[in-house]
Each structure stands twice: as structure tokens, then as C-alpha cells.
Amino acid sequence: MKKAVFLDRDGVINEVLTDRVKFVNKPHELYFLPGVPEAVKKLNAFFDYIFVVTNQGGVGLGFMKESQLQKIHDHMIAELNKEGAIIHEAVYCPHKPKAGCSCRKPNSKLIVDLGKKYDIDLSQSYMVGDTDTDIIAGKKAGTKGVFLGKSDPIADAVFPDLLSAVDWIIEDATKM
Ligand SMILES: [Mg+2]
Ligand SMILES: [Zn+2]
């Protein structure tokens, strides 16, 4: 079976709620956080797959069309690719935050479905996010959880950003 790292998008890969961008509704509003291409490249060297798993309630709320979200993800994947960093697939929940769907994190459907599609051993895989809903979704799916921020009660590790987390993730995965 394969190993994967599931990355939340906003606040992990790109800026959100900063001075220059509120929410990302267009490709040019996607500003990569420092060290992200290098971090993904390092993860590529150890893991079979790197995925992006993101809640995009702005689609359901009408702020952005689904085709626009797809353009943002195509742009994100292409820009990272230029730096030699590979994202194998970006999946999203497009529903309204209160729709009660099974794909919006903290529910785990997006992760579980990718796991089945790519034959992934989720117990040897990691979910990285900057909110507790990311970590909960990962735990429900059976992954380990890495929180980016100050602290999280159920995460296996906490780091300030993705680049500083990757060495721990790779070392931890080597032990399993
Ligand atoms: Mg986030
Ligand atoms: Zn959903």
C-alpha cells in the first residue's frame, strides 16, 4: 500500500486573511506561504502521494463558481510543478458550511475516498492543517495529524509552518 500526506490549503499552502488577500476567489489571489515548494518537494521524495484537501464553502455560498475554483487549483499545481513540487490531486468540499454534507472537514470523506482511490495505508499517512477541523478529519480517517499554529489538543505534532513540519513528518514516517 501507498503512503500519502494530505495538506489543507488555506493557511498551509497559501495565505488567507492577510493584508493583501482575504479569501482566494481568483488564481492571482493565491500567494504561496514561504517554504511551501521546498516542503512539498521534500515530502515528494519520501511519500507516494501528496494531496490537497480543502473546504471551499465560498462555492456553495455563491462567492466563486466551481470552474473558478478548478482554475485556482490548476494554477496552484502548475506553479508548484515549476519548482519541482508535485501535488497529485486537489479535492474540495464545495458545499455551504452548514449544508451538513459528509465531505466538509471535520468529516473525513474526502480523505477516505482518496485513500480508496489510490490504495493508501491511512495509518501510515498524515493530515496537515491549521485548524482543529483538519486534525479531526485526519483522525477520523485514521491518519496522524500535524497542526500548523500554536497548539492543538489531539495533534501528534505542532509546528509553525509546513517547511518546519516536514522533517518531523519524514522522520516519524520512517519509524513506522
Ligand atoms: Mg486552513
Ligand atoms: Zn461537502
Side-chain angles (χ1 to χ4, degrees):
M1 288 180 93
K2 308 289 188 184
K3 298 179 188 186
V5 178
F6 301 88
L7 303 173
D8 172 45
R9 198 194 81 185
D10 297 327
V12 171
I13 293 199
N14 57 271
E15 292 182 17
V16 65
L17 298 173
T18 60
D19 290 340
R20 56 183 173 176
V21 61
K22 197 172 166 210
F23 297 108
V24 181
N25 290 324
K26 300 194 174 91
H28 76 261
E29 293 171 329
L30 190 104
Y31 294 99
F32 288 98
L33 288 163
V36 164
E38 186 187 348
V40 172
K41 238 157 74 170
K42 279 187 168 185
L43 292 172
N44 285 144
F46 187 85
F47 288 90
D48 299 293
Y49 297 111
I50 310 299
F51 300 113
V52 170
V53 178
T54 179
N55 288 346
Q56 293 299 326
V59 174
L61 293 169
F63 296 122
M64 172 177 47
K65 290 200 171 117
E66 200 160 346
S67 58
Q68 192 67 12
L69 178 61
Q70 196 57 57
K71 276 185 197 153
I72 292 167
H73 287 170
D74 290 348
H75 170 73
M76 172 183 75
I77 288 169
E79 287 300 306
L80 287 170
N81 224 316
K82 283 183 196 165
E83 314 247 359
I86 313 298
I87 300 286
H88 296 88
E89 190 168 345
V91 298
Y92 55 86
C93 164
H95 306 113
K96 283 182 192 164
K98 290 182 180 163
C101 66
S102 54
C103 45
R104 186 177 170 85
K105 295 175 288 182
N107 294 321
S108 60
K109 187 174 189 297
L110 292 175
I111 300 170
V112 170
D113 286 354
L114 282 171
K116 285 184 196 148
K117 182 174 173 184
Y118 290 89
D119 190 34
I120 290 160
D121 182 349
L122 292 171
S123 72
Q124 305 243 24
S125 298
Y126 296 78
M127 174 72 212
V128 183
D130 67 328
T131 65
D132 57 350
T133 51
D134 299 315
I135 307 303
I136 294 165
K139 292 282 170 175
K140 277 188 190 163
T143 72
K144 287 196 170 186
V146 178
F147 182 74
L148 304 187
K150 294 231 156 54
S151 70
D152 183 88
I154 61 164
D156 296 282
V158 176
F159 291 94
D161 53 45
L162 185 59
L163 185 57
S164 54
V166 294
D167 287 343
W168 181 88
I169 293 170
I170 290 167
E171 196 190 321
D172 190 69
T174 309
K175 286 187 286 196
M176 290 209 294

